[in-house]
Amino acid sequence: MARESVTVLLFGPARQATGTGELAWPVSLGGIPAQTLLRELARRFPRLAPTLRVSRFVRNGRYLARLSTRLRPGDEFAVHPPYGGG
Amino acid sequence: MSVRLTGHPLSVSAAMRALSGRGLGGVVLFAGRVRPDLGPSGPVVALVYEIHEMPALRRLRELEGAARRRFGAERVVLWHRFGRLKVGEVSAIVGAACAHRAQAFAATRYLIEELKASVPIWKTERARPSRRPRPRPSRRVGRSAG
């Protein structure tokens, strides 16, 4: 089966926990539910798991209302830990 | 321009100019600066700010509109820097110009509190270098915007 990827953006504590700000996450052409991707991320980066529990998620610039939303190849999926501007 | 995300230094005098206008008797301006806190790795010498540009700009524009509706602010400044800022540098300027001071204070307080709580901006401390190994440099310090 052909595979494409979702671009995962990691900010602040999420970037610190993974050592990178951006990942190309392979998904099948049919996509993947956001909650599945999050489980896979936590498995690959155990230090990220606590941050994921307190984060919001953004798909293509819009906040995700449901973690069952399917992420498609080419989508941008951002992990937003609690904010800290100012 | 009242909403700005930039990698360049912020100017308080430019913000004052952006808040000027006939009949605007109350102007309040808040500037946030990098503090020399003592962090877990030693004295903080800089902060690195990251911004997720698109949702940050959208939220800042919502806040600008809310300040106009709720407090009658006629001019609003919501500026934030990204990248590495040394201690003492200005990280954010927030301000409002209204007919009277009470609304201007209330609007500015509302804007800075909402900016901190609801705009996708993150900061990471950089401590004074020690003998310990340095962390690997970040691949990305921020996302630019106009």
Side-chain angles (χ1 to χ4, degrees):
Chain A
M1 180 187 291
R3 290 180 74 82
E4 301 288 341
S5 64
V6 168
T7 300
V8 180
L9 301 180
L10 300 148
F11 294 95
R15 184 174 53 75
Q16 290 176 279
T18 59
T20 185
E22 188 171 322
L23 293 165
W25 200 263
V27 296
S28 65
L29 288 176
I32 183 176
Q35 58 202 1
T36 304
L37 186 146
L38 291 170
R39 271 200 302 273
E40 292 178 0
L41 275 173
R43 199 157 40 236
R44 179 163 159 193
F45 302 101
R47 286 180 54 212
L48 180 62
T51 300
L52 293 178
R53 285 197 283 275
V54 295
S55 293
R56 301 173 74 184
F57 306 102
V58 174
R59 173 177 165 262
N60 298 333
R62 299 279 179 183
Y63 288 101
L64 211 58
R66 293 181 305 279
L67 291 180
S68 57
T69 300
R70 212 164 180 83
L71 306 173
R72 308 282 179 184
D75 278 354
E76 184 183 84
F77 179 72
V79 176
H80 280 198
Y83 304 143
Chain B
M1 189 173 176
S2 59
V3 169
R4 181 183 297 173
L5 303 174
T6 178
H8 300 291
L10 297 174
S11 162
V12 169
S13 57
M16 279 300 292
R17 285 196 298 277
L19 292 171
S20 65
R22 179 180 286 273
L24 300 177
V27 177
V28 172
L29 192 148
F30 169 85
R33 298 170 69 195
V34 177
R35 286 193 307 268
D37 283 351
L38 184 60
S41 307
V44 171
V45 295
L47 293 177
V48 177
Y49 284 89
E50 293 176 274
I51 298 174
H52 193 185
E53 177 189 336
M54 196 193 323
L57 285 172
R58 185 180 306 116
R59 180 63 184 143
L60 289 173
R61 290 183 185 122
E62 288 171 359
L63 294 178
E64 178 188 18
R68 293 180 192 279
R69 287 190 305 276
R70 294 175 60 164
F71 304 100
E74 294 193 31
R75 296 191 197 281
V76 170
V77 161
L78 282 162
W79 296 350
H80 208 293
R81 269 188 78 177
F82 58 80
R84 184 186 174 100
L85 278 70
K86 292 182 287 191
V87 165
E89 288 193 89
V90 174
S91 57
I93 298 180
V94 171
C98 304
H100 302 287
R101 68 182 183 279
Q103 299 112 303
F105 274 115
T108 302
R109 182 65 188 254
Y110 166 81
L111 289 168
I112 185 60
E113 299 299 341
E114 284 295 319
L115 182 151
K116 292 178 80 70
S118 69
V119 180
I121 300 173
W122 301 267
K123 58 184 169 232
T124 306
E125 292 181 350
R126 291 287 184 264
R128 181 177 296 151
S130 67
R131 291 176 189 164
R132 279 176 282 183
R134 285 184 172 186
R136 279 174 32 201
S138 169
R139 286 175 52 205
R140 182 188 53 174
V141 294
R143 301 211 133 204
S144 64

